[in-house]
Amino acid sequence: LGRKKEIYDGAMPSGNSIAIKNLLRLGRMTANAKWEQMADESLKLFANSIEKAPTSFGAALQSVDFLEGDTREIVISGTHNSETEQFTRPLYDRFLPRAVIIFHDSEDNRIRDLVPYLSDFGMKEGKPTAYVCQNYACELPTNDPDKMMELLR
């Protein structure tokens, strides 16, 4: 009589696995622990099943890894142009499972309503700027895409 909550992943990840992953990423993006707590509670609901057959829960285990590991928050401040793309393209070419990438458009302040701390992450010297942070502790900002990628190593 009740709805089943499936989390096992087949050829496609389960909806619950993706929802958990999205809650974790949203929590990191907004620095709001409420979202991460919701994801953690959801994972605890499925913990017994995951322990019994871990190979059936690939996407859920990625969320466990994200939750338990060191994460990176990468903020790119700039405008939509080719100069800013020099920062974003290498990020999307690389597999960064424990990273959240936030594009802060300096001409559009709407994202600041969702992520208030972005007001401190603006462009420097009028150029696109990258902020590479680990668990909310940030390195010095850089205007050099190669330096940004070096900070991610």
Side-chain angles (χ1 to χ4, degrees):
L1 295 174
R3 253 185 342 166
K4 291 173 66 175
K5 289 187 182 252
E6 301 292 349
I7 194 169
Y8 65 86
D9 300 314
M12 303 245 321
S14 75
N16 283 310
S17 292
I18 297 303
I20 290 167
K21 189 181 222 178
N22 288 341
L23 285 170
L24 288 170
R25 296 174 70 73
L26 185 61
R28 288 294 163 154
M29 287 179 179
T30 62
N32 186 339
K34 170 183 80 170
W35 301 113
E36 291 184 58
Q37 289 170 341
M38 290 172 64
D40 186 44
E41 290 169 14
S42 296
L43 282 169
K44 286 177 183 173
L45 289 173
F46 300 110
N48 288 336
S49 298
I50 294 171
E51 286 178 12
K52 288 178 186 171
T55 57
S56 299
F57 300 94
L61 287 172
Q62 285 180 348
S63 294
V64 171
D65 181 58
F66 187 94
L67 185 64
E68 298 300 324
D70 289 331
T71 59
R72 299 210 181 212
E73 300 81 32
I74 305 160
V75 177
I76 307 296
S77 290
T79 58
H80 290 282
N81 61 31
S82 60
E83 197 175 6
T84 303
E85 191 175 305
Q86 292 176 10
F87 285 88
T88 57
R89 183 172 304 280
L91 291 173
Y92 294 123
D93 288 344
R94 194 157 163 220
F95 181 59
L96 300 166
R98 286 195 214 137
V100 293
I101 302 166
I102 303 169
F103 176 68
H104 177 214
D105 187 341
S106 62
E107 296 175 349
D108 185 354
N109 295 326
R110 289 180 292 175
I111 194 166
R112 286 191 210 150
D113 294 338
L114 299 170
V115 188
Y117 67 83
L118 286 181
S119 60
D120 298 330
F121 291 76
M123 291 173 48
K124 301 292 183 195
E125 301 169 10
K127 297 180 181 177
T129 305
Y131 298 82
V132 178
C133 311
Q134 186 165 347
N135 297 322
Y136 303 115
C138 300
E139 300 285 340
L140 290 174
T142 182
N143 298 109
D144 180 3
D146 294 328
K147 175 70 173 171
M148 173 192 69
M149 294 309 291
E150 186 179 309
L151 291 171
L152 289 170
R153 289 189 184 103

